[in-house]
Amino acid sequence: MAGTRREFIGAGVGAAAAVGLGAAFWDDLFGAAGSASGRGGGPVGAYGPRGPANEHGLRLPEGFRSRLVARGGQRVEGTGYRWHAASDGMAAFPADEGGWILVSNSETFDGGASALRFDAGGELRDAYRILDGTTQNCSGGGTPWGTWLSCEEVQGGLVWECDPSGRRRALSRPAMGTFKHEAAAVDPAGSRIYLTEDLMDGCLYRFTPARWRDLGEGMLEVASVDGAGAVSWARVPDPAARLRPTRRQVSGSTPFKRAEGIWHDDGVVYLATTGDHRVHAYDIAAERIDVVYDGLGSGSTPLLRVDQLTANSAGEVFVCEDIATDEIDIGLIDRRGRVSTFLSATGPDHVGSELTGASFDPSGSRLYIASQRAFGRHGAPGPGAIYEISGPFRGSRAFHETAQSA
């Protein structure tokens, strides 16, 4: 397994993030089963207790603050661009002169993806479209060569490779399969991409390009898992699914109960399955998968309906919950295996919404999240909004500055 450093590969517009959760994190987690308390009575979070709801309806730990950076259906401040509705999967890419670009999918029938460009000081400088002509774009993933893989979460959906700068036309990648795509995670060392399928009988896939970095051609495989956790892979005969769905083409392929969020860390692929409240870890070299978090494995249930996930350079995992209640949370699993709530969205602006797209900026001091259906009224879903959470996240410059001044 890898260390705990989060490194950005490449430079300039389009450099992508390779996140490290760290071996020590999971070693501690395996030894900490049952250490977390139940919802509402769990341990104090790794950053301390949440405060009262702020002006954005967000409950944050002390030292953290939020700002609204985009709201569905409204023009982004300082630009003429009207932001899309139902923001979902996101990723931040370093840009020239210390700035960065945040890309965001739109999980609507109109679909597509948009981008926000920030300067080195964190000020918004531009907003624009990077993908059109698609539908129900849910999550995705960044590549080491600086592109965004936007996934269509519909039967017959495709993966679309997008340029975060918007300078190049987005390209469909049918060789990566035609199915209800959720998310993608790139393994640079193995030259493969792992893909999830958001169905109760959906599968885990991997795609091996015929030529690395060119996703136009390659081999799509599906995973089969035996009772001991050993994983084997078989080629999907017809990735285009002309006669049969990809998940039903290989006898013995293993269903995962709504495989959603997926993340790669130097030889280990982590995925969250919403339907059974679990986080799994696939060791690529050992070809073995294990459950490393089970939300219903004991009487304690600090994280339920685990969905999209991300990690910071200190090896802390931030997990979005796919639960539409009066209070919706992002949970945190720290390096000691303790599970707690990092933040909550509450109040009328977030009723019936869910939190999606958790993603850090290049400095690690800003976490971007979307409240996908925020600002709904009279029981109807709202257009959603994106928030920036800034503060002393461990591993960031802000954390070191806070520690030195303490």
Side-chain angles (χ1 to χ4, degrees):
M1 286 187 177
T4 60
R5 296 296 301 168
R6 176 174 181 155
E7 297 177 354
F8 284 82
I9 301 171
V13 172
V19 169
L21 305 187
F25 169 83
W26 293 110
D27 290 343
D28 290 341
L29 181 58
F30 285 127
S35 64
S37 301
R39 294 179 68 86
V44 172
Y47 292 92
R50 289 160 294 157
N54 63 16
E55 69 274 21
H56 300 129
L58 300 177
R59 298 182 60 202
L60 304 171
E62 184 178 357
F64 289 82
R65 58 191 180 276
S66 63
R67 69 166 170 164
L68 176 65
V69 295
R71 178 169 168 171
Q74 295 189 2
R75 286 185 171 82
V76 176
E77 183 177 359
T79 78
Y81 185 74
R82 192 177 299 277
W83 194 250
H84 62 241
S87 294
D88 203 284
M90 297 192 290
F93 296 81
D96 296 327
E97 300 178 350
W100 62 94
I101 297 171
L102 181 73
V103 298
S104 168
N105 284 340
S106 174
E107 195 180 11
T108 63
F109 290 118
D110 292 333
S114 304
L116 299 168
R117 184 173 63 83
F118 298 83
D119 66 19
E123 295 301 315
L124 267 167
R125 295 302 182 191
D126 199 5
Y128 48 89
R129 195 77 165 170
I130 65 170
L131 175 64
D132 274 313
T134 60
T135 188
Q136 295 288 107
N137 294 77
C138 190
S139 192
T143 71
W145 51 93
T147 58
W148 167 245
L149 302 180
S150 182
C151 295
E152 290 183 292
E153 192 191 3
V154 291
Q155 297 290 354
L158 297 172
V159 174
W160 293 79
E161 188 171 15
C162 310
D163 174 14
S165 73
R167 298 168 185 164
R168 292 170 292 178
R169 180 173 58 89
L171 299 173
S172 64
R173 298 305 190 187
M176 300 181 76
T178 300
F179 57 87
K180 196 174 182 181
H181 285 275
E182 173 70 27
V186 179
D187 168 24
S191 301
R192 289 190 171 106
I193 300 167
Y194 292 82
L195 303 156
T196 54
E197 182 177 25
D198 189 3
L199 289 168
M200 285 299 287
D201 62 345
C203 290
L204 173 65
Y205 303 88
R206 72 180 186 187
F207 177 72
T208 306
R211 184 176 61 182
W212 187 231
R213 298 193 178 194
D214 182 354
L215 305 183
E217 297 180 353
M219 178 174 62
L220 182 70
E221 297 172 286
V222 64
S224 296
V225 184
D226 70 14
V231 180
S232 59
W233 297 90
R235 185 167 190 158
V236 176
D238 179 22
R242 286 174 284 253
L243 297 178
R244 300 184 69 189
T246 53
R247 67 187 184 280
R248 294 176 181 161
Q249 291 182 29
V250 175
S251 177
S253 59
T254 299
F256 287 80
K257 294 183 178 180
R258 290 194 61 198
E260 297 208 52
I262 191 166
W263 206 262
H264 173 264
D265 172 36
D266 290 347
V268 179
V269 175
Y270 306 97
L271 67 147
T273 48
T274 304
D276 56 8
H277 319 280
R278 290 177 170 180
V279 177
H280 311 253
Y282 171 59
D283 186 317
I284 295 173
E287 295 192 309
R288 177 182 173 85
I289 193 167
D290 293 288
V291 176
V292 294
Y293 172 76
D294 186 350
L296 299 182
S298 67
S300 61
T301 53
L303 286 176
L304 291 175
R305 293 181 65 83
V306 291
D307 196 332
Q308 295 176 32
L309 48 83
T310 191
N312 64 11
S313 61
E316 297 171 329
V317 181
F318 295 77
V319 185
C320 297
E321 290 184 297
D322 186 4
I323 297 179
T325 64
D326 291 340
E327 182 172 283
I328 49 178
D329 302 331
I330 288 182
L332 185 149
I333 309 175
D334 70 15
R335 285 181 54 107
R336 295 176 62 186
R338 297 173 301 184
V339 182
S340 59
T341 301
F342 172 69
L343 68 79
S344 300
T346 188
D349 288 346
H350 302 287
V351 171
S353 188
E354 65 176 282
L355 299 180
T356 61
S359 180
F360 281 94
D361 80 325
S363 74
S365 60
R366 299 173 179 87
L367 175 68
Y368 292 98
I369 61 169
S371 181
Q372 191 181 75
R373 295 179 290 277
F375 300 106
R377 292 293 182 266
H378 309 296
I386 295 177
Y387 300 90
E388 176 189 273
I389 313 300
S390 57
F393 289 101
R394 288 183 177 82
S396 70
R397 179 182 300 175
F399 173 76
H400 293 299
E401 291 174 349
T402 300
Q404 290 172 0
S405 64

